[in-house]
Amino acid sequence: MKKYSMLGNHKGKVAYRTPSVFRQKVSRVVRNISPGRTLSYKSVAEKAGSPRAYRAVGNILSQNYDPKIPCHRVIRSNGSLGGYNRGNRNKKNILKKEKAFRDGKI
DNA sequence: ATTTTGACCATGG
DNA sequence: TCCATGGCCAAAA
């Protein structure tokens, strides 16, 4: 059996990770980003209560395969896209659909 | 227990 | 604008 909790899956991929409160907080924050809005990794860290853990936020989202968590709405604080599981092009397209882009910028 | 890694950030040249 | 540097934290190795 699985030792660890399942975070979610995507096309058969499954991420098993040790549970942690920080991970749960990050998940909650990202889940609450409404369509057409974005947050930076840093602001997610702030809202999650650990203002300096912005880098860890990226680590967590990189392991997210749960479609309920719109990790594409999290971008870098300088306005550039940041990474995405299925390629940055896809991330950009999704954000375009959600009209998070104004005049070619976020 | 210690070291390395990473979807980052701010600053400075 | 682009690149290098030092810093930051949690998770994985």
Side-chain angles (χ1 to χ4, degrees), chain A residues 44-93:
Chain A
V44 170
E46 288 170 351
K47 286 172 176 288
S50 303
R52 277 163 281 178
Y54 37 78
R55 204 160 181 183
V57 170
N59 287 340
I60 290 172
L61 294 186
S62 74
Q63 291 299 338
N64 172 57
Y65 294 100
D66 185 346
K68 290 184 174 186
I69 300 180
C71 51
H72 61 277
R73 293 177 192 147
V74 184
I75 62 173
R76 289 190 187 162
S77 62
N78 66 6
S80 60
L81 275 181
Y84 192 57
N85 283 347
R86 292 186 259 168
N88 310 48
R89 174 146 44 84
N90 203 340
K91 184 173 183 176
K92 184 176 177 182
N93 287 336

Side-chain angles (χ1 to χ4, degrees), chain A residues 33-53:
Chain A
I33 306 176
S34 47
R37 314 273 330 282
T38 61
L39 287 182
S40 67
Y41 294 91
K42 186 183 179 185
S43 48
V44 170
E46 288 170 351
K47 286 172 176 288
S50 303
R52 277 163 281 178

Side-chain angles (χ1 to χ4, degrees), chain A residues 17-34:
Chain A
R17 290 297 181 275
T18 63
S20 83
V21 288
F22 183 62
R23 193 188 302 278
Q24 294 172 15
K25 288 181 178 181
V26 168
S27 299
R28 181 181 61 72
V29 170
V30 175
R31 249 196 329 269
N32 289 329
I33 306 176
S34 47

